[in-house]
Amino acid sequence: MKKIILPLFCILSLTVANAQIKVGQFVDSLPLPKLLNTESKINNLSQLRGKVILLDFWATWCSPCIAAMPHLDKLQKTYGGKLQVIAISSQNEKRIQSFVDNQSSDLWFGSDSLDFYRKAFPYSIIPHSVLIDITGKVVAITTPENITAQIIADVLAEKTIDLPLKEDNMDKDSWMSYFKVPDTVKELFIIQPELKGLPVMTKQYKNDPIYKNRRISFLNASLALAYRIAYGDVPYGRTKDSTSLEKRAEMAKQYCIDLIVPKGQEDKLMHTLQIHLKEKMDVQADIEKQLKPVYVLTIADKKKIGSLEKSKSVDENFDGSGENFSGKGIRFKQIAQYLEEFGLLDLPVIDETNDTNRYNISFSFMPEKKGDLKKTLGDLGLTFKREQRKIDVLVFR
C-alpha cells in the first residue's frame, strides 16, 4: 500500500490578511512571510510598491514546483530591481532552509508555516502563482509557465494582461460531493467530464465496509492514468504512446470515472476497468515486452545490508514523498518501485538485489542536493546503475 504525499474581477482595497484576495483587488498591506535568504529589512508587501511582485506557492516535494524554479529565477535575473519573486512554502522552516542552502538563486524564499498567505490566496494545487503590479493590484492568479518575460514587461508598462485564471476548488471532501452513491448500488460504471479546479486523484476503497476492494474512483484522470492503474499501477516510464494524431486530443482530456463491481468479483475489478475503457473510449492499451534502458538496483555492501532491521510483517506497506521513504515489512523491490514511481530516477528501476528478506526501512534525502539520493541508498548498502532490460511496456494505440 502506497500513500503519496504525492493542477473574479472586483476592484477593492483589502487590508485584512485573512480575507481572500482576488484578481482586480489591491493588496494595501500584507506582512511578508519570514524570509530565509535575504538581508532586506522589508517586512510588508506594501514596501515593494513600484515593483512587480510574483508570489509563487510551492513545496520541496512538488516536482512541477521545482521544475518551474529555473524559469522564475531567470525572470528575476532579467528584471532585477523591477521585479521581486517570492517563493512561499508552508513546510517547516528547517526544511525550506535546507533547500535554500543547496541552491544558487536570486529568488526570495519565505516560510508560511501558519498558512497566513494561503488564507489570502487560497489554493489546493501547487505550483500556484499570484502576480501583483506596481500599484499593488493583483493582475493574475495562474501557474508559473504562463508568466513569461513579455508578461512581466507588459505589467511594468502598465498594460492590461489576460492570463488563464487558476481557481482551485476548495471543497474539503470532493469524494462525498461528486462520488456519492446509495449503499445499495451493486454495480456501476460512469465516465463524466473533468471537474475544474480540482487536482488529479484516485481512490480505492480497501477499508470501506461496503465497497471494500470492489470500487475505484478517478478524479480528473487522463485515459493514460486510468489505463496505467487498470493494468496494475504501471509507472509512467513504462508506457509508450503510439496513438494517432486524432487520438492525441482524447489522451489529453481528463475524466471523472467511477467503477463498482458486484460482491464476489473483487478480483476482477481491474480487469473490468480495462474492458470498460476499451469499450467506451477510442484509445486502446495493451502490455508488450520491449527492450528499454533502465536503472538496476543492486547490493553494494552486504555488511550494511546485514545491519538493517529485519521484519516479520508481510504487509509490504510504505509511505513515500519526493524526499522521504518509510516502509514496514518491505522487500527491496518496494524501494525500486518508490524510486521509479516518484520520478527520482528518470528511467524504470529494476530490483536485482536477489534479496527476499523483509525489512523496516526509513530514510530521507535532499533531492535538490546532487548525489544525496545515491549517498542515502549507499548508507543502506544499496546502489543503482544504468543497464538495458526487456520489460513490460503499456502501449497506447
Side-chain angles (χ1 to χ4, degrees):
M1 178 178 69
K2 295 166 291 177
K3 298 177 184 176
I4 299 178
I5 313 282
L6 111 219
L8 307 188
F9 298 96
C10 179
I11 301 178
L12 297 173
S13 179
L14 298 185
T15 58
V16 182
N18 285 338
Q20 181 178 351
I21 304 174
K22 302 178 181 180
V23 172
Q25 295 178 333
F26 286 85
V27 186
D28 277 352
S29 180
L30 200 62
L32 284 174
K34 183 176 181 180
L35 300 175
L36 306 180
N37 65 327
T38 177
E39 296 181 358
S40 171
K41 303 300 182 183
I42 291 175
N43 56 28
N44 196 292
L45 277 186
S46 62
Q47 294 174 267
L48 292 171
R49 198 65 43 80
K51 294 184 179 183
V52 172
I53 303 168
L54 174 53
L55 306 177
D56 181 64
F57 296 91
W58 70 292
T60 62
W61 45 260
C62 169
S63 298
C65 301
I66 303 303
M69 289 284 179
H71 165 65
L72 298 177
D73 200 49
K74 185 175 181 180
L75 290 177
Q76 185 64 71
K77 287 180 169 65
T78 299
Y79 288 97
K82 298 179 180 179
L83 168 71
Q84 187 56 61
V85 182
I86 308 175
I88 302 173
S89 176
S90 61
Q91 290 176 275
N92 69 72
E93 183 180 328
K94 183 178 179 181
R95 180 64 189 97
I96 306 170
Q97 187 66 61
S98 176
F99 180 91
V100 170
D101 291 343
N102 286 281
Q103 299 298 304
S104 175
S105 175
D106 286 351
L107 309 184
W108 284 359
F109 286 88
S111 172
D112 186 37
S113 58
L114 297 178
D115 280 341
F116 186 81
Y117 265 67
R118 188 171 184 173
K119 292 172 184 176
F121 304 101
Y123 61 86
S124 61
I125 307 168
I126 52 177
H128 183 79
S129 299
V130 177
L131 190 62
I132 302 170
D133 72 8
I134 59 176
T135 69
K137 184 172 72 173
V138 176
V139 293
I141 296 178
T142 187
T143 51
E145 68 272 14
N146 292 324
I147 302 176
T148 64
Q150 185 59 55
I151 289 294
I152 299 298
D154 288 345
V155 175
L156 284 168
E158 300 187 57
K159 295 181 180 179
T160 300
I161 64 169
D162 184 17
L163 294 181
L165 175 65
K166 180 176 179 289
E167 188 176 18
D168 293 357
N169 188 317
M170 301 303 291
D171 192 314
K172 293 185 178 179
D173 192 346
S174 305
W175 300 112
M176 285 300 295
S177 299
Y178 303 114
F179 292 90
K180 189 173 182 178
V181 297
D183 293 345
T184 55
V185 171
K186 297 179 179 179
E187 190 172 2
L188 174 75
F189 181 74
I190 295 176
I191 295 183
Q192 300 181 69
E194 70 173 312
L195 293 165
K196 298 290 186 181
L198 287 170
V200 177
M201 294 188 286
T202 63
K203 182 175 181 179
Q204 298 188 40
Y205 300 71
K206 295 183 181 297
N207 298 311
D208 189 283
I210 296 173
Y211 297 114
K212 182 177 181 181
N213 296 329
R214 66 184 188 94
R215 185 181 186 185
I216 184 168
S217 305
F218 297 83
L219 181 65
N220 294 343
S222 65
L223 284 181
L225 176 59
Y227 268 123
R228 283 166 49 205
I229 291 178
Y231 277 90
D233 280 355
V234 178
Y236 179 79
R238 298 180 188 232
T239 65
K240 181 179 179 180
D241 186 358
S242 296
T243 55
S244 64
L245 288 175
E246 292 79 11
K247 291 184 180 180
R248 296 271 167 93
E250 187 70 16
M251 285 284 285
K253 290 181 182 177
Q254 292 181 314
Y255 298 91
C256 295
I257 303 171
D258 201 12
L259 170 65
I260 301 173
V261 297
K263 285 186 177 180
Q265 297 186 20
E266 288 84 354
D267 60 337
K268 297 180 180 179
L269 179 66
M270 293 307 175
H271 182 65
T272 303
L273 179 57
Q274 295 173 24
I275 292 172
H276 281 303
L277 291 173
K278 289 182 177 182
E279 287 178 347
K280 303 294 192 303
M281 314 306 291
D282 290 335
V283 176
Q284 302 293 294
D286 286 293
I287 296 288
E288 298 179 7
K289 284 280 187 185
Q290 294 189 0
L291 184 66
K292 303 281 285 184
V294 300
Y295 281 106
V296 175
L297 185 71
T298 59
I299 292 175
D301 190 325
K302 291 183 178 180
K303 186 176 180 181
K304 289 181 179 178
I305 296 293
S307 66
L308 296 176
E309 180 187 349
K310 289 187 177 179
S311 174
K312 294 181 180 179
S313 173
V314 295
D315 289 339
E316 296 185 340
N317 293 339
F318 75 81
D319 296 345
S321 71
E323 54 191 28
N324 299 294
F325 177 94
S326 179
K328 299 287 186 181
I330 59 106
R331 294 189 173 108
F332 290 137
K333 67 179 182 180
Q334 271 77 48
I335 292 182
Q337 180 184 354
Y338 162 72
L339 295 173
E340 179 173 350
E341 294 189 359
F342 281 82
L344 304 177
L345 299 177
D346 58 354
L347 295 172
V349 184
I350 308 298
D351 170 31
E352 292 188 0
T353 59
N354 298 315
D355 187 323
T356 59
N357 292 308
R358 295 183 183 276
Y359 301 95
N360 296 330
I361 296 176
S362 296
F363 60 83
S364 299
F365 65 98
M366 293 181 286
E368 71 277 5
K369 187 175 181 180
K370 187 175 181 179
D372 198 48
L373 173 60
K374 193 155 193 174
K375 177 183 179 301
T376 300
L377 292 175
D379 292 340
L380 299 175
L382 300 171
T383 191
F384 55 86
K385 58 181 178 179
R386 185 170 173 144
E387 299 282 354
Q388 287 219 344
R389 295 288 187 274
K390 271 196 171 183
I391 61 172
D392 287 340
V393 176
L394 183 61
V395 181
F396 303 108
R397 288 189 172 86

